[in-house]
Amino acid sequence: MGQKILIVDDAAFMRMMIKDILEKNGYEVVGEAENGQEAVEQYNELKPDLVTLDITMPEKDGIEALKEIISHNGEAKVVMCSAMGQQAMVIDAIQAGAKDFIVKPFQADRVLEAIGKALS
């Protein structure tokens, strides 16, 4: 199997879209989480090669989860997912250690480009 990825988004439909793109291109989706708290727990448990992390989620948002993941593992590879118009949050995420970001609605080639770049 390919590299292991954890997908985090509060919308099941968005997780399904990313999972479909990744699995068709040889990546292994090892876990899914629907909020930032689950993301941190699953990251520590599953030790994925990369995390796709939505910015806006209940309980703990993507920026908080990112900071927590990076504090556990400074080498963590995280690609943020955001809706249009969240530039300020995207900048916060990159400064906090995210490798890249993808904008919803997802374009398969952009998702693969961001993930490939982050893993290289």
Side-chain angles (χ1 to χ4, degrees), residues 8-77:
V8 185
D9 197 303
D10 57 326
F13 177 72
M14 290 296 176
R15 293 196 308 272
M16 190 180 73
M17 282 181 64
I18 294 183
K19 183 176 185 174
D20 189 52
I21 293 167
L22 296 176
E23 288 182 340
K24 282 182 177 161
N25 288 278
Y27 293 100
E28 181 184 2
V29 175
V30 292
E32 294 183 33
E34 59 186 38
N35 62 56
Q37 187 56 47
E38 282 181 18
V40 173
E41 290 164 8
Q42 288 200 35
Y43 182 85
N44 293 331
E45 185 183 319
L46 300 169
K47 312 264 190 282
D49 298 307
L50 181 133
V51 182
T52 67
L53 190 54
D54 185 25
I55 290 181
T56 312
M57 293 181 294
E59 291 184 50
K60 181 179 284 180
D61 71 24
I63 306 282
E64 287 178 63
L66 168 69
K67 289 176 178 169
E68 208 168 313
I69 288 169
I70 296 285
S71 77
H72 290 289
N73 176 5
E75 302 296 304
K77 293 176 171 62

Side-chain angles (χ1 to χ4, degrees), residues 99-118:
K99 302 292 182 212
D100 204 342
F101 67 95
I102 42 183
V103 177
K104 297 173 186 178
F106 300 122
Q107 303 295 319
D109 54 350
R110 178 65 191 117
V111 170
L112 295 168
E113 176 195 353
I115 287 173
K117 198 171 91 177

